[in-house]
Amino acid sequence: MALSDIRRVLISDSLAPACAHILRSQGGIEVTEEPGLSPQDLLSQIQDYDGLIVRSATKVTSDVLTAGTRLKVVARAGTGVDNVDVDAATQNGIIVMNTPTGNSISAAELTCGLILSLSRQIPQAASSMKQGKWDRKKYMGSELHGKTLGILGLGRIGKEVATRMQSFQMKTIGYDPIIPPEVTAEFGVQQFSLEEIWGQCDYITVHTPLLPSTTGLVNDATFSKCKRGVQVINCARGGIIDEAALLRALESGQCGGAGLDVFTEEPPRDRALVDHPLVISLPHLGASTHEAQNRCGEEVALQIVDLVKDRALLGAVNAPALTKAFSPETKPWIRLGEALGRLFHYLLPEVRGEIQVTTTGGALKNSGSFLCSAVAIGLLQNSDKKVNLVNACIFAKDVGIQVTSYHSLDSSETALEVSGGGLCLTGGLSGGAPCLSQIGASDFKSPVSLNGTLLLWRDEANLLKLIGALAAAGSRLQTLHVSEGYTVAEISAPLSDLSALGSCLQITLPA
Ligand code: 9EZ
């Protein structure tokens, strides 16, 4: 079933009404809204849906993904996919997507709010007023003017934080392993190596994903390289600032305050940081604005509508090869890739090692990665797994086949070649339908249509015997292609007995 065939979608968390509205009106999708659906009910109902949309409450477990036999997409309205078992989704051939941009402004504004709150201890002072006090000495603060803000992670959110805090005349410096210094310089952030950053900062804010490389990015060792009294902010993901190290630094005075919207465990059972007088903590409110929720609900719906209409795949986190796979022009080429892969498998069932997919012609210039996936589907047709474009290359690798792509400028003809293990198949489209034009050096005079049932001989076929076998089985000969070394017959129905036909392969291809 095609990944873009999405007719019924379940929304199992509370999402902005715009989401269901766009899915219905622009996608023609049947939408069920069940905010607060229990895990048991989700498990029993998921088999009826092609798509599942969640926010943070629904836990999309391996059990849910396995039970969702129709599922093609799980979409999270928001940044990150912490509540989705992405590996299990990939194994089941299910696209996982999120909306990484919808929350950026809200997250950035909250970060700025925490920086201002820290500089004057605004929440602590306000709370003391509510307790009936008038404590003017205790809450002496510092200006942000002229102070240095270190921004670790300079994507959308880091950038918005930088430009806002520049209006307070803070000096904004930072580090990002991916975004080039020339790009960040344009929004006023000079980049340094991490080693050079620590000692310069009065405030450090983190805006990275949570990865092995960013877990504990701020830790005992890095605190010790900071100015005494440095203040830190985490509105990104719990654990980027090591919580035990932060507590130690607060106790020693090395850290002068922390603003935390996120925790390694949420809600945090260990209250030591939350209870510390220099910590301003929030219950993960970064995306909690009407605007961010509306934007994410809308974005997630538009991404699914784009997929349904075969226009684009946006926001996917587990299908990097497929970013260019969805456009009206690509479908027949994906079918060709699958058909060539399937034929390749019939001819060389035990092939292992590298299989090279070569594209020619401008139209296929950027199609290599998803055509690798398509060819891999064909190669793995006997797999007992749910192989599709999402996971085919991963499963191929698991059995020792690396499918690689190469775009050749040797020919201007739009064509696809699959080679490896001494075999090379070349195909193209004829009237929009997948066709085989060559096996090795052997050229067919007219291309062989790759659908229905084919009989293939590595030499000349005995045509008299063929006619007899077809007649006995009630099948008809549709076309016959003879090239040097190969004979291919297209027949109207498969034969159950090939014994009279010599060394003959019967190949069935999807219609
Ligand atoms: C790591 C990062 C930023 C960072 C940001 C992103 C993969 N990655 N890593 C260390 N997107 C600052 C410090």
Side-chain angles (χ1 to χ4, degrees), residues 44-60:
S44 66
Q45 291 174 29
I46 196 64
Q47 66 194 54
D48 297 333
Y49 295 96
D50 306 295
L52 172 64
I53 305 182
V54 302
R55 212 171 88 187
S56 307
T58 301
K59 304 300 171 220
V60 187

Side-chain angles (χ1 to χ4, degrees), residues 198-283:
W198 307 112
Q200 299 187 59
C201 301
D202 301 292
Y203 293 82
I204 294 172
T205 183
V206 294
H207 301 284
T208 72
L210 185 66
L211 302 168
S213 63
T214 61
T215 301
L217 178 62
V218 180
N219 55 40
D220 287 306
T222 55
F223 266 122
S224 74
K225 295 170 188 163
C226 290
K227 285 188 195 174
R228 188 168 172 80
V230 67
Q231 309 211 55
V232 296
I233 301 93
N234 186 359
C235 289
R237 283 285 179 261
I240 301 171
I241 300 177
D242 183 276
E243 291 178 349
L246 173 58
L247 189 61
R248 287 188 283 272
L250 286 161
E251 311 265 71
S252 73
Q254 181 64 11
C255 177
L260 302 175
D261 187 40
V262 291
F263 299 86
T264 37
E265 183 184 24
E266 294 187 357
R269 262 182 305 173
D270 181 347
R271 309 300 288 186
L273 281 171
V274 172
D275 292 340
H276 195 285
L278 294 178
V279 173
I280 302 169
S281 63
L282 302 171

Side-chain angles (χ1 to χ4, degrees), residues 151-155 175-179 194 207-209 211 213-214 217:
I151 305 170
L152 306 184
L154 292 164
Y175 170 77
D176 192 291
I178 297 161
I179 318 241
L194 279 174
H207 301 284
T208 72
L211 302 168
S213 63
T214 61
L217 178 62

Side-chain angles (χ1 to χ4, degrees), residues 76-80 97-103 295-301 303 315:
R76 159 141 213 276
T79 311
M97 53 170 66
N98 65 6
T99 57
T101 61
N103 295 327
R295 231 180 263 126
C296 288
E298 200 175 292
E299 262 179 54
V300 84
Q303 285 172 192

